[in-house]
């Protein structure tokens, strides 16, 4: 087996019903109910394409870039999948550009998440294809470089397995394992219930939980000086 240079072609995708339920969850709420364990760091939307997307992760590790291995990952994509790329945050090259973004959009791919950089931000925005990355640089990556497709990768500080559920919106990107998805959805619904309870207080210009917060900081040793 060629470690560092291989393609796994079988992925156990999460059930579509689970993906659909998670697609209704804001990534900020997912962050809250998972104690930030599921949310990526340092990635943001490129091109300001609105809305929330969710799909099954197809992963690719490209530590040196490598267009050909990126294409091997793209060959695994089905409609509704999310391509998740780790180039280890390198700002030396762009992993993706505007031309491929248009093709991904036509193919029905839900989104692309890159722990690294992309280019052609204006073309990406025009394509309407959702991309989340660390930023934009003009330099293309190498065509020929080794990589691995459908292996566990690190992306934004989170481990992403092939078949994980990716949720991405204006706030950022979250990764949830299929086995954890029902728990996460239930906890987000519970959190929304609390938000509904707070609504009348906020509408009246009051802040929920103030008395409890004061007690907590007092117990921690905070001094209040008149």
């Amino acid at each position: 087996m060629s470690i560092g240079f291989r393609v796994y072609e079988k992925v156990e995708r999460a059930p579509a019903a689970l993906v659909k339920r998670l697609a209704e969850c804001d990534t900020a709420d997912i962050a809250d109910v998972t104690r930030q364990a599921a949310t990526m760091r340092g990635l943001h939307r490129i091109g300001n394409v609105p809305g929330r997307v969710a799909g099954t992760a197809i992963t690719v590790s490209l530590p040196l870039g490598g267009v050909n291995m990126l294409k091997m990952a793209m060959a695994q994509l089905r409609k509704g999948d999310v391509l998740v790329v780790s180039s280890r945050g390198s700002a030396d090259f762009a992993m993706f550009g505007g031309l491929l973004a248009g093709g991904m959009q036509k193919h029905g791919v839900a989104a692309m998440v890159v722990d690294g950089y992309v280019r052609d931000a204006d073309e990406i925005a025009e394509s309407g294809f959702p991309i989340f990355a660390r930023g934009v640089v003009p330099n293309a990556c190498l065509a020929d470089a080794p990589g691995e497709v459908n292996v566990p990768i690190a992306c934004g500080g989170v481990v992403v397995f092939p078949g994980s559920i990716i949720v991405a919106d204006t706030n950022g990107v979250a990764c949830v394992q299929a086995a954890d998805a029902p728990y996460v959805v239930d906890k987000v619904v519970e959190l929304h219930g609390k938000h509904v309870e707070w609504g009348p207080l906020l509408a009246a210009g009051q802040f929920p939980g103030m008395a409890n917060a004061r007690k907590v900081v007092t117990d921690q040793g905070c001094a209040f000086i008149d």
Side-chain angles (χ1 to χ4, degrees), residues 72-112:
M72 295 304 97
M74 292 168 64
Q76 305 299 316
L77 292 167
R78 298 179 185 173
K79 184 176 181 179
D81 285 343
V82 176
L83 181 58
V84 186
V85 181
S86 173
S87 57
R88 301 186 182 181
S90 176
D92 292 335
F93 52 80
M95 267 319 318
F96 203 75
L99 289 176
L100 287 178
M104 296 272 271
Q105 178 80 349
K106 295 294 185 182
H107 193 68
V109 180
M112 182 175 181

Side-chain angles (χ1 to χ4, degrees):
M1 182 177 295
S2 184
I3 295 176
F5 203 11
R6 54 191 171 183
V7 177
Y8 290 95
E9 296 187 298
K10 292 184 179 179
V11 175
E12 185 176 348
R13 286 170 168 80
L18 281 182
V19 176
K20 184 177 180 180
R21 291 185 70 194
L22 270 178
E24 299 173 356
C25 299
D26 191 290
T27 56
D29 292 336
I30 295 174
D32 289 348
V33 303
T34 62
R35 299 174 175 85
Q36 301 185 27
T39 42
M40 299 181 186
R41 307 291 193 273
L43 277 62
H44 62 274
R45 190 193 302 265
I46 304 297
N48 296 317
V49 179
R52 182 180 303 120
V53 294
T56 298
I58 297 298
T59 64
V60 55
S61 173
L62 299 170
L64 301 175
V67 174
N68 289 334
M69 287 305 291
L70 178 66
K71 289 180 179 179
M72 295 304 97
M74 292 168 64
Q76 305 299 316
L77 292 167
R78 298 179 185 173
K79 184 176 181 179
D81 285 343
V82 176
L83 181 58
V84 186
V85 181
S86 173
S87 57
R88 301 186 182 181
S90 176
D92 292 335
F93 52 80
M95 267 319 318
F96 203 75
L99 289 176
L100 287 178
M104 296 272 271
Q105 178 80 349
K106 295 294 185 182
H107 193 68
V109 180
M112 182 175 181
V113 177
V114 185
D115 194 339
Y117 287 69
V118 297
R119 67 179 187 173
D120 304 328
D122 290 341
E123 291 180 30
I124 289 171
E126 185 177 346
S127 75
F129 181 62
I131 294 182
F132 298 79
R134 291 193 176 274
V136 179
V137 294
N139 306 324
C141 67
L142 299 172
D144 297 316
E148 295 183 288
V149 177
N150 287 326
V151 296
I153 63 172
C155 187
V158 173
V159 177
V160 181
F161 293 90
S164 298
I165 302 173
I166 302 297
V167 182
D169 58 23
T170 304
N171 286 312
V173 184
C175 174
V176 178
Q177 306 311 317
D180 297 332
Y183 169 88
V184 171
V185 172
D186 288 346
K187 286 297 182 180
V188 169
V189 171
E190 183 180 316
L191 180 62
H192 284 181
K194 292 180 181 178
H195 293 171
V196 171
E197 291 178 6
W198 296 343
L201 288 174
L202 293 169
Q206 301 176 34
F207 305 117
M210 292 296 287
N212 181 65
R214 184 179 179 107
K215 180 181 184 304
V216 169
V217 299
T218 300
D219 291 346
Q220 291 173 339
C222 179
F224 291 87
I225 302 164
D226 193 352

